[in-house]
């Protein structure tokens, strides 16, 4: 039986109450698991418990993997038109239920309702995209090396995939991974973040309605190290698609080494956001606000360091501070809110530590800098100036509404500073000089570059990082490749 507290029932006025599930979805069955182990889901806007989800046992996880493995051959051999039609139906159902999905997301994650709805709708696009791409899993015919040889290359599903997702985009991270895996013909076991399992489970309700066969897609909840260890060592799992921190990515890579699994990792970021003297200043300010403060600064592609060329630093700072002053803190469910709470107290402690470190080394707080009077995990949007090398804000991902402003003089200096990080997810810059646009875009050591924009993700683009931000791509025509094996056929005697 689903365990939802009265808080949820009174708070969420869902059109379709069946979307609110707090059971795991295993082998096509909704289950509270074999034991009484539970983990709680909390509304970060007030700290109240909204649901309890089961902590599945190792035996249940193994059974789930066995079921997915048993179905792999038939799902992999299903007609691409069948898979495409199911994904298209899932896409339509997500759009039809976008308001309910957004309300669930907003409650468990805390982001403003408008952002939650935008996440749901934009990322439904991945289901639509992969519904189309499923039809184009084409191979190659290549001239042979000898007169009697022809070379054929076919693409086949890699096998059972495990997907592990973080809490910051509880809906979007699911559609982009599961959509691609199902399109490729892989069965999937998803482990959502414990803070935000309800969005993933609501998506599973809709996947079931769309016709995803029982056991082809499961959602498991429970102890992450136990599930992670099993996924890494179980030979029936062929691939792990992980989005989360670099630290956990390293651990998974080590654990998966013995069975040489296919991996794709979307890990942490430390994005530099650079504004050159020749930039359109209004547009740069808007881009910086969107990039820095979306989801209260809790996105992997957030501007973590904002570099402004000295000629415009004063004016940029003034306009940026004006815009930050307009950010309205509050619970995500309030339509006036533009910044919700942070996910938990650990996140609050981290941003406080980054501010204290910077101030201790000579930076100044231009606005914010402390917990909000709203209490809980609300944190004031913060800008610090006078940021210098050696401060933690430049090295570590803050993942909070903290904008460090750094002034620079020369293009080559800012490129060196931007690249001085182990991360390589994304870099942003604003410039109207075409030569500079090419130079800087080529010089940034990142998997993605946003030029004259602060937002870059959509299903048509290959999202992904380099360096310690991971490898593999999500979205675009390349998004399926990570879920497919190539098979080369040498045809001879022709
Ligand atoms: P996290 O702590 O790495 O957790 C991510 C997921 O991994 C959660 O479901 C977590 O579950 C699980 N996990 C942790 N240890 C595990 C283990 N030993 N085995 C299996 N699963 C394990 O990251 P987070 O705090 O949720 O998310 C924030 C991070 O994600 C940031 O670094 C951000 O940059 C990154 N991120 C990257 C992208 C991208 O596309 N590059 C997108 C979004 C977020 P538990 O919480 O139960 O441990």
């Amino acid at each position: 039986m689903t365990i939802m507290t009265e808080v949820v029932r009174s708070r969420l006025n869902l059109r379709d109450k069946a979307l609110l599930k707090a059971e795991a979805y295993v082998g096509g069955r909704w289950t509270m698991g074999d034991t009484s182990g539970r983990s709680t889901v909390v509304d970060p806007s007030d700290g109240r418990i909204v649901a309890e989800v089961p902590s599945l046992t190792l035996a249940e996880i193994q059974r789930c993997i066995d079921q997915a493995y048993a179905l792999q051959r038939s799902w992999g051999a299903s007609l691409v038109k069948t898979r495409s039609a199911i994904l298209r139906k899932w896409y339509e159902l997500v759009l039809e239920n976008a308001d309910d999905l957004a309300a669930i997301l907003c409650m468990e994650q805390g982001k403003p309702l408008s952002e939650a709805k935008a996440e749901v709708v934009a990322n439904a696009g991945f289901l639509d995209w992969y519904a189309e791409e499923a039809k184009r899993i084409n191979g190659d015919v290549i001239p042979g090396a000898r007169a009697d040889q022809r070379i054929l290359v076919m693409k086949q599903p890699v096998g059972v995939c495990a997907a592990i997702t973080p809490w910051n985009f509880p809906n979007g991270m699911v559609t982009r991974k599961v959509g691609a895996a199902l399109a490729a013909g892989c069965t999937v076991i998803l482990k959502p973040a414990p803070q935000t399992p309800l969005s993933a489970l609501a998506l599973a309700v809709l996947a079931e309605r769309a016709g995803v066969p029982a056991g082809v897609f499961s959602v498991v909840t429970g102890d992450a190290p136990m599930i992670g260890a099993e996924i890494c060592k179980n030979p029936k799992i062929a691939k792990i698609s992980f989005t989360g921190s670099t630290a956990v990515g390293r651990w998974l890579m080590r654990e998966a080494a013995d069975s040489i699994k296919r991996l794709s990792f979307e890990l942490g970021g430390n994005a530099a956001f650079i504004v050159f003297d020749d930039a359109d200043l209004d547009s740069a300010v808007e881009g910086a606000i969107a990039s820095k403060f979306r989801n209260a600064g809790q996105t992997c592609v957030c501007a973590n360091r904002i570099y402004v060329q000295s000629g415009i630093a004063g004016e940029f700072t003034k306009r940026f501070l004006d815009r930050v002053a307009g950010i309205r803190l509050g619970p995500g469910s309030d339509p006036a809110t533009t910044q919700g709470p942070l996910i938990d107290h650990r996140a609050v402690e981290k941003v406080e530590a980054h501010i204290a470190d910077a101030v201790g080394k000579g930076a100044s707080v231009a606005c914010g800098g402390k917990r909000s009077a709203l209490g809980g995990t609300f944190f004031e949007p913060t800008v610090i100036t006078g940021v210098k090398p050696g401060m933690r804000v430049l090295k570590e991902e803050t993942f909070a509404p903290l904008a460090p402003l750094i002034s620079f003089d020369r293009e080559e200096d800012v490129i060196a500073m931007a690249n001085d990080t182990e991360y390589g997810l994304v870099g942003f810059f604003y410039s109207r000089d075409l030569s500079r646009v090419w130079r800087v875009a080529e010089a940034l050591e990142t998997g993605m570059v946003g030029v004259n924009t602060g937002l870059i993700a959509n299903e048509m683009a290959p999202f992904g990082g380099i360096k310690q931000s991971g490898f593999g791509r999500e979205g675009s025509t390349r998004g399926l490749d990570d879920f497919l094996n190539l098979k080369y056929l040498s045809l001879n005697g022709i």
Side-chain angles (χ1 to χ4, degrees), residues 164-169 173 176 191-195 222 224-225 227-229 242-246 248 251-252 266-269 299-300 397 399 425 463 469:
I164 304 174
T165 49
W167 49 263
N168 62 343
F169 289 95
M173 294 295 146
R176 58 176 60 199
K191 192 210 87 67
Q195 297 91 337
I227 297 173
F242 170 70
T243 298
S245 62
T246 297
V248 173
W251 183 86
L252 289 167
E266 302 283 355
L267 307 176
T299 84
C300 55
E397 186 181 33
F399 234 57
L425 189 58
F463 192 98
S469 290

Side-chain angles (χ1 to χ4, degrees), residues 359-418:
V359 170
K361 291 171 182 161
S364 312
V365 175
C367 73
K370 56 185 193 309
R371 296 176 191 219
S372 154
L374 292 173
T377 59
F378 287 96
F379 200 87
E380 293 181 352
T382 299
V383 179
I384 54 175
T385 55
V387 175
K388 297 267 160 20
M391 296 181 182
R392 285 179 67 186
V393 279
L394 298 185
K395 281 280 172 211
E396 297 173 28
E397 186 181 33
T398 308
F399 234 57
L402 167 62
L405 300 186
I406 309 107
S407 174
F408 72 93
D409 290 318
R410 297 184 318 157
E411 182 182 304
E412 53 267 45
D413 296 339
V414 78
I415 288 170
M417 289 189 281

Side-chain angles (χ1 to χ4, degrees), residues 273-276 279-290 306 312 316 320 429-431 452-454:
F273 186 105
I274 305 166
V275 187
F276 288 101
D280 174 334
L281 212 50
D282 286 333
S283 163
V285 168
E286 285 314 307
I289 292 286
I306 302 178
I312 49 153
F316 178 90
F320 187 66
F429 67 93
Y430 276 70
S431 169
N452 297 325
T453 180

Side-chain angles (χ1 to χ4, degrees), residues 164-440:
I164 304 174
T165 49
W167 49 263
N168 62 343
F169 289 95
N171 186 293
M173 294 295 146
V174 175
T175 54
R176 58 176 60 199
K177 289 187 191 305
V178 180
L182 294 181
C186 300
T187 58
V188 196
I189 296 163
L190 168 74
K191 192 210 87 67
Q195 297 91 337
T196 56
L198 306 181
S199 292
L201 294 165
L203 281 169
V205 172
L206 297 177
E208 191 178 30
R209 287 183 197 166
V212 176
V216 163
F217 169 42
S218 292
V219 182
V220 297
T221 50
D223 180 59
M226 179 274 283
I227 297 173
E230 183 57 26
I231 282 169
C232 287
K233 75 171 197 300
N234 193 313
K236 292 180 178 169
I237 298 279
K239 183 200 162 74
I240 302 172
S241 173
F242 170 70
T243 298
S245 62
T246 297
V248 173
R250 285 189 195 108
W251 183 86
L252 289 167
M253 202 167 184
R254 275 195 297 269
E255 291 293 304
D258 282 345
S259 54
I260 313 282
K261 298 215 190 299
R262 285 280 294 271
L263 303 172
S264 37
F265 284 175
E266 302 283 355
L267 307 176
N270 181 11
F273 186 105
I274 305 166
V275 187
F276 288 101
D277 279 345
D278 61 86
D280 174 334
L281 212 50
D282 286 333
S283 163
V285 168
E286 285 314 307
I289 292 286
S291 173
K292 178 66 256 181
F293 293 103
R294 187 169 63 114
N295 201 10
Q298 303 170 112
T299 84
C300 55
V301 289
C302 265
N304 202 53
R305 308 166 279 158
I306 302 178
Y307 294 98
V308 189
Q309 203 157 10
S310 43
I312 49 153
E315 185 57 23
F316 178 90
T317 306
K318 185 174 147 307
R319 293 193 204 182
F320 187 66
L321 285 168
D322 280 352
R323 284 288 282 108
V324 173
I327 293 175
R328 167 106 186 248
L329 253 71
S333 54
D334 179 345
T337 293
T338 51
Q339 184 189 306
L342 295 184
I343 191 70
D344 55 27
H345 285 284
R346 243 177 4 136
V348 175
E349 284 155 19
K350 185 171 186 188
V351 61
E352 283 179 332
H354 278 196
I355 294 169
D357 172 77
V359 170
K361 291 171 182 161
S364 312
V365 175
C367 73
K370 56 185 193 309
R371 296 176 191 219
S372 154
L374 292 173
T377 59
F378 287 96
F379 200 87
E380 293 181 352
T382 299
V383 179
I384 54 175
T385 55
V387 175
K388 297 267 160 20
M391 296 181 182
R392 285 179 67 186
V393 279
L394 298 185
K395 281 280 172 211
E396 297 173 28
E397 186 181 33
T398 308
F399 234 57
L402 167 62
L405 300 186
I406 309 107
S407 174
F408 72 93
D409 290 318
R410 297 184 318 157
E411 182 182 304
E412 53 267 45
D413 296 339
V414 78
I415 288 170
M417 289 189 281
N419 288 340
D420 183 21
T421 170
E422 69 192 19
Y423 296 106
L425 189 58
V426 62
F428 301 95
F429 67 93
Y430 276 70
S431 169
R432 285 182 287 199
D433 174 339
L434 188 59
S435 306
R436 168 174 277 159
V437 165
W438 276 106
R439 266 195 321 271
V440 177

